[in-house]
Amino acid sequence: MTRTFLRLLLGAAVVAASLLVTVSTASADCELVQVPAPGGGYSWVEDCSDSGGDDGDDNGGDNGGGGDTEPTCDLSQVEGEGPPTAVQWCMGTEACWGNIPSLNPPEDWEQLAGEPSPGEGWIVTYVTCYPSNPIGTWQWIEPPEEQGPSLWDLAWQAFGNIATPDFTLAFSPPTQSYVNLPTWYWADGPSDGEILGESTGAVNAIATPDRIEVDPGDGSGVMECPFAVDEGDECLHTYVRASVDHADGYPARMRLVYDIAFTNNGEPLELDGLPTTLESPWVDGPLPVAEVAAIVIE
């Protein structure tokens, strides 16, 4: 048995010991479930039944029942093997049993595994599988509860710790704009630098300014602009009607949009399903718009 395959078997054993795990097969979703074993105790088997049923028609339906539990291996090969505390499970067509951890005294673990412990909290397991490893093997593993959060969990934790800055919607001309005169917008308050979100591990989330989104409030729709944090003409809109129907002015609003990237120990981390953008809450800024009247004197 190769070391890689052995680690796969050990991984399955640890998952089995944690009481429940979902695995994939070509035909259905399977899970390891604990069932009473003959003569007392419990065994682990793969339940690959279709939980959805088939609406209970006359062609063998079961009115939505879960079906029978059918292991993918012959667990009779390991029946009665090991102490009452041993775990039994199927690894594909392989019937396995194991002691997790080994029942030998901890002071003997290094000798059994053939190497020193990799670190604090590690345990030695004993696993036998038929037909590939009938003699059994001892090996160090780190229990799931000692491994801490996954990279996925740490990435979402870091993302949740990003705080978008407070800002106000600024515009020019100040206090009031005018019909047919370009109005400039910018976010007053934030910087245009990156924002860091940290996790309890080595995973960080980095928010890089991408753009601001502005809704002028006159029904023209949301427009995207460069990430403007200083007065300038990078983001502008021209109103064609005065805000006479709005007592306080057009209900303009703005939000900040950031691109999101993740790192693990300073190296890029990419996992499917992680967020790629972050948007701040909308900030309102009523914007009065007036007509400009010209008086011609002859």
Side-chain angles (χ1 to χ4, degrees):
M1 173 185 295
T2 65
R3 189 177 183 87
T4 299
F5 185 59
L6 176 59
R7 288 189 179 276
L8 290 175
L9 294 177
L10 288 172
V14 174
V15 170
S18 65
L19 300 186
L20 184 65
V21 64
T22 299
V23 298
S24 297
T25 68
S27 59
D29 289 334
C30 301
E31 61 183 12
L32 289 173
V33 295
Q34 195 178 44
V35 298
Y42 292 89
S43 296
W44 288 89
V45 297
E46 275 191 320
D47 179 6
C48 298
S49 58
D50 181 1
S51 61
D54 61 0
D55 298 325
D57 58 22
D58 294 334
N59 297 319
D62 60 4
N63 295 316
D68 296 329
T69 297
E70 297 182 1
T72 60
C73 68
D74 181 8
L75 284 174
S76 66
Q77 298 179 79
V78 294
E79 183 177 344
E81 294 202 19
T85 56
V87 180
Q88 299 175 0
W89 72 97
C90 289
M91 180 70 176
T93 58
E94 298 254 329
C96 305
W97 74 270
N99 292 326
I100 307 172
S102 168
L103 299 185
N104 287 279
E107 56 266 26
D108 296 339
W109 284 0
E110 290 190 358
Q111 180 180 354
L112 292 171
E115 59 183 348
S117 171
E120 184 179 356
W122 286 62
I123 63 173
V124 163
T125 62
Y126 174 79
V127 173
T128 294
C129 289
Y130 296 98
S132 65
N133 184 29
I135 298 177
T137 306
W138 284 274
Q139 185 170 335
W140 290 105
I141 69 166
E142 187 178 14
E145 63 269 18
E146 301 295 335
Q147 294 175 0
S150 66
L151 291 180
W152 173 275
D153 294 331
L154 291 174
W156 276 103
Q157 182 186 90
F159 178 74
N161 286 333
I162 297 177
T164 56
D166 294 332
F167 70 96
T168 57
L169 188 162
F171 59 91
S172 181
T175 68
Q176 177 177 271
S177 190
Y178 298 91
V179 172
N180 295 326
L181 179 68
T183 300
W184 299 354
Y185 308 90
W186 67 96
D188 185 26
S191 73
D192 57 0
E194 295 179 341
I195 305 174
L196 183 67
E198 297 180 321
S199 70
T200 55
V203 177
N204 291 329
I206 302 172
T208 303
D210 177 57
R211 65 183 185 273
I212 60 174
E213 294 182 348
V214 178
D215 180 357
D218 61 351
S220 59
V222 176
M223 58 184 189
E224 297 182 356
C225 300
F227 201 90
V229 295
D230 296 304
E231 183 175 358
D233 62 356
E234 294 180 286
C235 186
L236 58 83
H237 174 71
T238 301
Y239 291 92
V240 297
R241 293 185 301 275
S243 57
V244 292
D245 296 332
H246 302 270
D248 297 325
Y250 284 119
R253 57 182 185 153
M254 174 188 292
R255 68 179 175 184
L256 313 177
V257 182
Y258 294 83
D259 288 331
I260 300 296
F262 296 90
T263 61
N264 180 35
N265 286 316
E267 298 296 325
L269 173 66
E270 296 182 2
L271 297 173
D272 291 340
L274 290 179
T276 57
T277 60
L278 173 65
E279 300 162 343
S280 75
W282 287 100
V283 170
D284 299 327
L287 200 159
V289 178
E291 295 275 3
V292 175
I295 301 177
V296 179
I297 300 176
E298 297 181 357

